[in-house]
Amino acid sequence: MMMRARILAAAVTAGLGLALAAPASAAEGNVELPKQNWSFNGPFGTFDQAQLKRGYQVYGQVCSACHSMHLLYYRNLMDIGFSEAQVKEIAAGVEVTDGPNEEGEMFTRPGRPSDHFRSPFPNDNAARAANGGALPPDLSLIIKAREGGANYVYGVLAGFTDPPAGVTVPQGMHYNKVFPGHMIAMNPPLSEGLVDYGGEPKATVDQMAQDVTAFLAWASEPEMEARKRLGIKVMLFLIIFTGMLYAVKRKVWANIH
Amino acid sequence: MSAPAINNRFLKWFDDRLPVVSFMQHELHEYPTPKNLNYWWNFGSLAGICLVIMIATGVVLAMQYTPHVSLAFLSVERIMRDVNYGWLLRYLHMNGASMFFLVVYIHVFRGLYYGSYKSPREVLWWLGLVILLLMMATAFMGYVLPWGQMSFWAATVITNLFSAFPLVGEPIVTWLWGGFSVDNPTLNRFYALHYLLPFVIVGVVVLHLIALHKHGSNNPLGIPHKGPQDSIPFHPYYTVKDLFGLGVFFIVYMALVFFAPNMLVEPINYVPADPLVTPPHIVPEWYFLPYYAILRSIPDKLLGVIAMFGSLLILFVLPWLDTSKVRSARFRPIYKKLFWVFLADCIILGWVGYNPPEGHFIVIGQIATAYYFLHLLVIMPIVGKVERTRPLPDSISAPVLKGAHKEKA
């Protein structure tokens, strides 16, 4: 009994240490984020491939006009259910600068699956110049890089409203419920039916915001499903093995107590 | 308990030339360990295993990492995305640092509770503190390597602390940076030192073990062992107990690695370092928060820096600040309560360190800082003198022997 109490105490101490850093997500910003029931939440959560493909469609047709995702390769799209032929076709749809060739000249060629996602602007300054001084952030890690993760990104995408009475929105800015400070340079990017989902589900703003957020979550943590699958096995093994070690410990110590 | 003779002919031949087998037997099998050690004594060997895990994962990560300001962030993401099981290695290393500190802090507080720093174990205590300081330097430099926003700004803030010293401050900072701002030379030297210091830690750990084996472990009663009836061989009793503890440790560690790998990091460190954009809220890793709170509680920069370093250095004289002859808090009714107040004070400091220095956090931080020093510098010396301690048992196995006497009678 004594021993069990001590193990418990040790576990509580461990928990305390971890809890110390836990309020990290709660501290920033005073806005209550809309909590969504993501398919990838929790230890058994997985990505919904159909949703990821729709999400890529939204990124490719809408977001990619301004936002790069330079950590991703076109080949990565095979992990969310696109066939090799489809990926080749997607990649071939962009012009990539390559070179220098034998004459020392840079040239353009159609993209290949081994190319990084093409960035919309050659550099940050060009991106700022085209966007009224604001830099559209790279989206490769956006879910990991923001307090609140997927809920935050979804919240921003679905959070464009008219400003409350008395709030004036400066020229070139837009009111957003979730964005820190509420003034965001990005135009409301989504509108009903903007992307053709081919009938099902209906391409509402909310649906597209959810889909593209799920796609970005996958892009931030492409290893998530493999990680959780391995994690379940590791935890099962450890719990059984530690139980066995406890039994051995009891047996070895039997003649001491 | 004497070790069995070496029976294997080859081992005997080898041991006669390099006495590793008899060394192991001496230090593991014959090494007498108090029979009453509780589970808080598991954390020493756990810390050793953490060090091994950190070095093993770190060496493999180093094979894939590039210490250059324009490539460091990308090379870490390449490890996460394209290296086979690279995500696992990095998450093991990153969360391993937190687990290492958690284990070591429990180990330190166990020492505080049971008076393990008292004579004749002062040097053992010093070596432990040296390990803690080296760990902090190593962890800080490791946190800089991914070259995210918090890496860069933590490096800037912490190295700038040295500028508080008059005259020598600015040259020291320039020397640390290898230039006039945190830049590529800074990243390169931090990488070199981050690789070097763990091996220095290994060296000090060896000294820590030599010092430990000189007088043996303290124990929950805090009284020396008086004969063979008080002790048992380390192996198999404590090897198996440590293994069980290791299993429990791994359950917590792996839960973190596989299911909440980013719980303990600031999200903004997934944004590449940008010297032109200061994050709204710069916070260190959780294991530095109490010191950060002490630093910020004192309005003067130099005094703040002195207090922060002092909060650790003061522990070196703890064996003399604690005037009580009795080691274990079990027999010290007043100190026992004060121990928990002190632990709570450290946790409050951590909580204050996490929050921005505004409003009531300033006052709470100042009170907690004052209490930290008051506890060590004033309360401990006085309590040790005035406290009426409870009677100590005759020996570790005294209660057992008393039982035996009764049986005889």
Side-chain angles (χ1 to χ4, degrees):
Chain A
M1 270 320 278
M2 188 78 169
M3 192 179 308
R4 228 166 273 162
R6 281 182 196 146
I7 297 167
L8 196 79
V12 168
T13 318
L16 243 166
L18 301 181
L20 234 146
S25 42
E28 215 84 357
N30 306 317
V31 185
E32 190 76 23
L33 290 177
K35 285 232 159 50
Q36 297 293 302
N37 193 21
W38 301 108
S39 70
F40 46 86
N41 280 349
F44 300 99
T46 53
F47 291 119
D48 171 355
Q49 283 214 342
Q51 185 178 37
L52 297 189
K53 285 168 91 166
R54 291 197 303 273
Y56 171 70
Q57 224 182 321
V58 177
Y59 170 75
Q61 292 174 29
V62 184
C63 319
S64 65
C66 302
H67 292 276
S68 60
M69 286 187 86
H70 73 289
L71 293 177
L72 271 80
Y73 296 93
Y74 290 106
R75 62 174 162 80
N76 295 140
L77 292 173
M78 280 190 267
D79 299 342
I80 62 171
F82 286 101
S83 70
E84 195 176 340
Q86 283 172 319
V87 170
K88 277 184 176 156
E89 199 188 311
I90 290 169
V94 298
E95 289 265 289
V96 174
T97 305
D98 203 346
N101 62 15
E102 284 170 7
E103 281 79 44
E105 306 291 332
M106 300 303 278
F107 60 92
T108 57
R109 58 163 174 79
R112 301 182 195 122
S114 58
D115 284 322
H116 277 113
F117 276 24
R118 191 191 54 170
S119 298
F121 302 104
N123 53 58
D124 284 359
N125 286 1
R128 281 185 196 277
N131 287 282
L135 177 68
D138 184 84
L139 298 181
S140 315
L141 284 165
I142 199 77
I143 303 293
K144 269 173 153 181
R146 291 292 182 275
E147 299 278 354
N151 288 329
Y152 168 80
V153 172
Y154 164 78
V156 168
L157 289 174
F160 287 91
T161 56
D162 292 327
V167 175
T168 46
V169 180
Q171 180 76 32
M173 298 300 258
H174 308 274
Y175 188 83
N176 192 292
K177 281 189 295 190
V178 168
F179 192 73
H182 300 302
M183 297 298 158
I184 187 166
M186 176 167 70
N187 287 309
L190 302 171
S191 58
E192 179 106 19
L194 185 62
V195 173
D196 182 12
Y197 277 168
E200 270 304 303
K202 263 193 81 180
T204 60
V205 169
D206 187 75
Q207 183 67 45
M208 287 185 287
Q210 295 221 16
D211 292 348
V212 77
T213 303
F215 170 73
L216 295 174
W218 164 79
S220 275
E221 299 190 283
E223 88 297 341
M224 190 209 71
E225 287 187 353
R227 167 159 60 76
K228 287 177 179 173
R229 267 201 310 273
L230 182 57
I232 302 283
K233 289 181 205 155
V234 168
M235 293 308 280
L236 282 175
F237 167 78
L238 280 175
I239 288 165
I240 294 167
F241 189 62
T242 306
M244 284 163 63
L245 283 172
Y246 183 62
V248 175
K249 190 258 161 197
R250 294 263 305 197
K251 186 148 169 59
V252 169
W253 279 72
N255 55 349
I256 295 287
H257 286 308
Chain B
M1 260 192 228
S2 64
I6 304 167
N7 292 323
N8 183 299
R9 273 181 62 196
F10 171 72
L11 281 185
K12 210 170 166 167
W13 176 89
F14 192 80
D15 193 64
D16 205 30
R17 280 142 188 86
L18 183 71
V20 281
V21 182
S22 47
F23 174 80
M24 294 284 282
Q25 271 185 350
H26 182 69
E27 296 300 332
L28 279 179
H29 190 87
E30 294 166 59
Y31 174 61
T33 315
K35 63 199 284 185
N36 61 335
L37 299 187
N38 57 32
Y39 274 98
W40 297 114
W41 262 262
N42 278 45
F43 289 88
S45 71
L46 277 181
I49 288 163
C50 285
L51 179 60
V52 172
I53 293 172
M54 293 307 281
I55 290 179
T57 52
V59 166
V60 186
L61 285 171
M63 295 174 189
Q64 306 282 353
Y65 171 77
T66 311
H68 187 278
V69 288
S70 61
L71 295 169
F73 190 90
L74 293 175
S75 72
V76 172
E77 276 307 315
R78 189 171 172 79
I79 290 170
M80 293 298 290
R81 288 160 189 270
D82 291 328
V83 173
N84 289 335
Y85 290 97
W87 56 267
L88 179 57
L89 284 167
R90 171 155 182 265
Y91 281 156
L92 282 171
H93 196 73
M94 186 173 111
N95 289 292
S98 282
M99 293 304 290
F100 196 1
F101 273 96
L102 180 65
V103 162
V104 162
Y105 282 149
I106 294 173
H107 187 62
V108 172
F109 275 97
R110 190 269 288 153
L112 284 176
Y113 188 84
Y114 293 108
S116 300
Y117 47 84
K118 292 188 195 183
S119 173
R121 296 187 183 83
E122 300 94 326
V123 176
L124 174 61
W125 174 254
W126 287 349
L127 290 165
L129 290 173
V130 170
I131 294 170
L132 180 60
L133 291 173
L134 286 169
M135 274 174 66
M136 288 176 168
T138 309
F140 163 65
M141 288 187 275
Y143 189 64
V144 174
L145 300 186
W147 210 244
Q149 268 291 63
M150 208 52 93
S151 299
F152 178 86
W153 289 98
T156 305
V157 169
I158 302 300
T159 49
N160 254 317
L161 291 180
F162 292 90
S163 71
F165 294 104
L167 294 172
V168 290
E170 293 292 339
I172 288 180
V173 174
T174 307
W175 178 73
L176 285 173
W177 286 343
F180 298 102
S181 65
V182 174
D183 208 334
N184 202 47
T186 326
L187 178 60
N188 269 278
R189 61 190 54 198
F190 277 22
Y191 180 52
L193 292 172
H194 183 70
Y195 206 119
L196 170 70
L197 288 185
F199 297 96
V200 178
I201 294 177
V202 170
V204 185
V205 166
V206 170
L207 295 177
H208 193 65
L209 286 174
I210 294 172
L212 172 70
H213 281 223
K214 173 74 183 167
H215 290 283
S217 294
N218 182 30
N219 66 79
L221 296 175
I223 55 174
H225 44 101
K226 294 183 173 149
Q229 74 279 9
D230 287 348
S231 59
I232 47 179
F234 188 86
H235 180 75
Y237 294 105
Y238 285 108
T239 38
V240 73
K241 194 174 176 180
D242 281 353
L243 273 176
F244 167 60
L246 183 64
V248 176
F249 164 83
F250 261 102
I251 289 174
V252 177
Y253 180 21
M254 292 303 128
L256 200 56
V257 165
F258 285 105
F259 300 108
N262 292 307
M263 190 175 89
L264 300 173
V265 293
E266 286 293 314
I268 201 157
N269 217 30
Y270 281 109
V271 176
D274 185 347
L276 299 177
V277 181
T278 316
H281 181 191
I282 300 176
V283 281
E285 293 278 84
W286 70 267
Y287 37 82
F288 291 137
L289 290 174
Y291 316 104
Y292 195 52
I294 291 175
L295 171 75
R296 296 192 305 185
S297 291
I298 294 172
D300 181 78
K301 187 176 173 189
L302 178 59
L303 290 178
V305 172
I306 291 172
M308 184 182 72
F309 287 118
S311 67
L312 279 161
L313 296 178
I314 201 172
L315 296 173
F316 280 90
V317 289
L318 188 64
W320 297 274
L321 288 172
D322 183 351
T323 49
S324 175
K325 295 271 180 290
V326 175
R327 288 200 190 97
S328 173
R330 276 195 193 172
F331 305 104
R332 302 186 55 188
I334 300 175
Y335 175 74
K336 188 179 188 169
K337 292 202 180 76
L338 290 171
F339 167 86
W340 293 108
V341 175
F342 183 65
L343 177 61
D345 188 58
C346 293
I347 291 171
I348 289 169
L349 279 171
W351 172 65
V352 169
Y354 179 75
N355 285 287
E358 305 162 344
H360 59 278
F361 285 117
I362 297 177
V363 185
I364 297 172
Q366 287 172 342
I367 295 171
T369 301
Y371 185 79
Y372 182 93
F373 288 101
L374 193 72
H375 175 92
L376 294 170
L377 288 173
V378 180
I379 297 177
M380 281 193 74
I382 294 176
V383 168
K385 289 260 194 268
V386 301
E387 185 179 37
R388 274 188 60 147
T389 55
R390 290 171 46 205
L392 294 173
D394 292 337
S395 76
I396 289 171
S397 51
V400 182
L401 287 179
K402 262 178 208 154
H405 281 302
K406 263 179 208 159
E407 264 171 40
K408 262 184 207 165

